[in-house]
Amino acid sequence: MIPMKRYITLAAFSLTTVCFISCSESFLEVDPRATQIESNYYRNPEEAFNGLVAAYDPMGWEGKGGYGNFVSFVAGSDEAYSGGGSSSDLWYLQTMNDYRLLDPANGPQLDFWSKGFTGVSRVNTLLNVLNEKEIEGLDDAVKARYIAEAKVLRAYYYFDLIRIFGNIPLITAPLSTNEFYEVTQVSPAEVYAQIETDLKEAIAEANLPDKVPAATEGGRITKGIAAALLGKVMVYEEKWGEAADYLSMVNGTPGGTSTYGYKLLDNFSDIFRPDNLFHSESILEITHTSSAASGWGNTSRVEGFIASTMFGPRSYSGPTYDFGWGGCPITPELITLLHNDPRYGTTVNDVDSLVDLGLATYVPGYLNTGYFVKKFAPLQEFKNTGAGPATINYPQNYIEIRLADTYLMEAEALVEAGENLSRAAALLNAVRHRVGLAPVDATLENIHMERRKELATEGHRWHDLVRTGQAATVLQSKGFVAGKNERLPIPLEELTNTKLVQNPQY
């Protein structure tokens, strides 16, 4: 744990320190143990690899203490309410459920800022070393792969930061302490240009593999991940033709197996099984583990999947599930929308039906509807029984980009570009066919609706509403203000003694 309030300063801090990583079961199951002075580090290939793993590590952070993860955007959308024990419990969700409560001092924004800029700073340190320092014994091909991976990671962190905050600094090299205080924000176009450059250079790198063996390198960056991320970035930039081109590289023939090995799973519910990791539909999968035995004293760097506990019913007693914090009870609107959809049973945990049958009890929380998120529910079968509290050590991974998502993004891009509408229809209907639904025309309305149903409660809906300009209308009842709430506020701590400027209306 690094005890610093301004997390962008890690860009300066990492110039003199680097995390020393001990890997456990898979590539991304990491446990930072100590720090080393950079001048005494990166002495050999093992230490270069440790630096790479340190650059990956923030991807899996579940928050700084407020647990600002994708769950915040579920609560901030029309999919769910905040929940919790009361209107003051799970405050990071309350501020997203009622935008009138969201301000620079209150909200999940510091968690996202910390995660993003810590990742950027670690990448910048690693790239600086790999480009400037001769590491004895480090093979040139391996070094080239590390550089490509680092560039994709920097693009990933900056894409999150630009979507969430809009107005951010662009830092591509380690900073001195004095330089930090002179940092200013740049235009979103400059950030997107850097993201594109990093991803295109990584895709062009011959030593970045198309895919990796899941058993030993699951979650590690590949060309498939880079292409999927670049296609998604271009969707947000509304570069429709280019977006479709990159996404088609990922998707291949609709319903078939792509060049990168991606294929829709036959069974929708298998996507989210904690024991079905790095399957053929998973593109960008964030690893979580119980083996790190995270404790309450280091909640800012938890390696387990806290989202499972956040979604569980309060004081639950009954079959299948474990108790949780009662976060994100699903809205009646989404229940009605999904009720006759084949994906309902995988998406919705109807706890009240178990209560009505006398099979379970729970304590209804704030804004309770009786319906909870099932895709990431805390399952008794996977509850941690080893070291560390079970609450913050669920082993389920989070799939941030999966094939059905990229199918629907490519379909949207093709329709927006007015190109190859037959392929757009094939992509859309491959997603529907998987769950036994009849084909429909490839219209924007149908594609957006399919995204809403297919990806429900996975953290995409809020971003989709913002990028398509629907957020102010759809989220009006939550106090969403147009021209303001499309972005989170810059954290209050980041404004003191710096040249950073707050986002409009905050």
Side-chain angles (χ1 to χ4, degrees):
M1 179 175 179
I2 302 171
M4 303 186 71
K5 278 195 172 182
R6 296 191 190 91
Y7 294 94
I8 193 173
T9 60
L10 283 165
F13 185 77
S14 64
L15 185 64
T16 56
T17 64
V18 62
C19 283
F20 183 84
I21 304 297
S22 172
C23 295
S24 51
E25 295 177 7
S26 74
F27 181 76
L28 295 182
E29 292 178 2
V30 297
D31 181 17
R33 300 292 185 183
T35 59
Q36 294 280 342
I37 300 300
E38 184 183 327
S39 60
N40 296 324
Y41 205 69
Y42 294 108
R43 296 163 298 186
N44 53 54
E46 181 183 4
E47 291 181 354
F49 179 75
N50 287 344
L52 176 66
V53 177
Y56 272 91
D57 190 42
M59 294 179 77
W61 289 358
E62 288 288 89
K64 169 61 182 64
Y67 309 116
N69 51 20
F70 78 97
V71 181
S72 296
F73 294 109
V74 176
S77 75
D78 57 343
E79 295 180 325
Y81 302 125
S82 50
S86 68
S87 60
S88 60
D89 186 30
L90 304 180
W91 56 267
Y92 38 92
L93 300 186
Q94 306 301 338
T95 56
M96 295 296 290
N97 182 64
D98 183 350
Y99 288 93
R100 295 168 297 182
L101 304 175
L102 182 63
D103 61 39
N106 297 287
Q109 58 270 7
L110 183 58
D111 291 353
F112 294 117
W113 188 275
S114 168
K115 171 182 175 177
F117 278 110
T118 300
V120 166
S121 71
R122 292 185 181 184
V123 168
N124 288 342
T125 296
L126 178 64
L127 287 174
N128 184 63
V129 169
L130 292 176
N131 287 321
E132 301 295 332
K133 183 176 181 178
E134 186 68 30
I135 301 175
E136 186 177 353
L138 183 62
D139 182 79
D140 286 344
V142 173
K143 177 180 177 179
R145 180 184 180 183
Y146 288 1
I147 290 172
E149 288 178 83
K151 288 179 178 179
V152 176
L153 288 171
R154 183 164 63 187
Y156 168 83
Y157 292 126
Y158 265 124
F159 183 49
D160 248 13
L161 288 164
I162 196 67
R163 287 192 300 163
I164 294 170
F165 296 104
N167 301 300
I168 58 174
L170 179 60
I171 305 168
T172 57
L175 299 180
S176 68
T177 302
N178 291 337
E179 287 175 320
F180 159 69
Y181 292 101
E182 300 301 314
V183 166
T184 58
Q185 289 130 308
V186 301
S187 69
E190 291 179 73
V191 178
Y192 274 111
Q194 182 64 50
I195 291 171
E196 285 193 29
T197 295
D198 278 342
L199 291 172
K200 288 176 180 177
E201 289 179 355
I203 292 170
E205 174 51 59
N207 293 292
L208 184 66
D210 287 351
K211 51 189 175 182
V212 295
T216 56
E217 296 187 332
R220 195 168 178 179
I221 296 297
T222 62
K223 273 186 171 39
I225 291 173
L229 184 56
L230 182 53
K232 184 172 183 175
V233 166
M234 289 182 166
V235 165
Y236 277 72
E237 294 182 277
E238 299 185 352
K239 295 182 176 180
W240 302 116
E242 291 178 270
D245 289 343
Y246 280 104
L247 290 167
S248 68
M249 294 166 54
V250 177
N251 295 333
T253 302
T257 302
S258 76
T259 301
Y260 297 126
Y262 301 127
K263 186 180 188 300
L264 294 176
L265 294 186
D266 293 332
N267 188 342
F268 181 71
S269 63
D270 286 346
I271 297 170
F272 310 100
R273 288 284 302 177
D275 55 358
N276 188 29
L277 306 180
F278 306 112
H279 50 66
S280 65
E281 187 164 340
S282 173
I283 299 175
L284 178 58
E285 183 165 337
I286 311 300
T287 299
H288 294 281
T289 178
S290 59
S291 63
S294 298
W296 292 112
N298 66 328
T299 51
S300 62
R301 302 295 180 262
V302 166
E303 300 290 348
F305 192 58
I306 293 178
S308 289
T309 294
M310 295 168 78
F311 287 136
R314 299 181 67 82
S315 302
Y316 176 86
S317 177
T320 309
Y321 309 105
D322 202 45
F323 68 88
W325 296 339
C328 294
I330 297 176
T331 62
E333 179 187 8
L334 183 57
I335 295 300
T336 299
L337 183 71
L338 289 174
H339 189 68
N340 294 316
D341 190 278
R343 290 161 288 204
Y344 176 90
T346 298
T347 306
V348 178
N349 184 6
D350 184 357
V351 177
D352 275 2
S353 67
L354 296 176
V355 173
D356 291 343
L357 292 171
L359 299 176
T361 61
Y362 76 104
V363 175
Y366 180 59
L367 299 175
N368 179 63
T369 64
Y371 299 100
F372 297 85
V373 173
K374 189 173 181 179
K375 289 177 178 178
F376 309 105
L379 299 173
Q380 293 176 5
E381 180 181 357
F382 299 99
K383 182 177 180 179
N384 176 46
T385 57
T391 306
I392 55 177
N393 282 288
Y394 278 96
Q396 183 166 358
N397 288 355
Y398 172 56
I399 304 175
E400 189 160 345
I401 303 178
R402 58 184 177 90
L403 194 60
D405 180 13
T406 57
Y407 270 27
L408 295 172
M409 281 193 288
E410 186 190 346
E412 179 180 350
L414 289 169
V415 172
E416 288 280 14
E419 300 175 356
N420 203 344
L421 299 186
S422 61
R423 177 172 170 84
L427 289 160
L428 168 62
N429 289 311
V431 175
R432 293 176 59 81
H433 177 74
R434 188 252 299 275
V435 293
L437 292 172
V440 295
D441 293 336
T443 66
L444 286 179
E445 181 180 6
N446 285 341
I447 293 167
H448 290 163
M449 180 58 70
E450 202 62 34
R451 286 187 63 82
R452 188 176 181 192
K453 293 178 178 179
E454 171 75 17
L455 304 172
T457 71
E458 294 178 45
H460 302 288
R461 173 68 172 168
W462 186 89
H463 294 288
D464 281 349
L465 288 173
V466 169
R467 72 176 178 82
T468 58
Q470 302 176 70
T473 300
V474 173
L475 303 178
Q476 184 177 15
S477 64
K478 290 192 170 191
F480 191 102
V481 175
K484 176 183 179 181
N485 296 127
E486 291 87 355
R487 301 289 178 260
L488 299 192
I490 307 300
L492 185 62
E493 293 89 337
E494 295 299 319
L495 301 175
T496 305
N497 297 323
T498 72
K499 293 186 176 181
L500 301 184
V501 178
Q502 185 55 269
N503 279 333
Q505 301 189 51
Y506 282 107

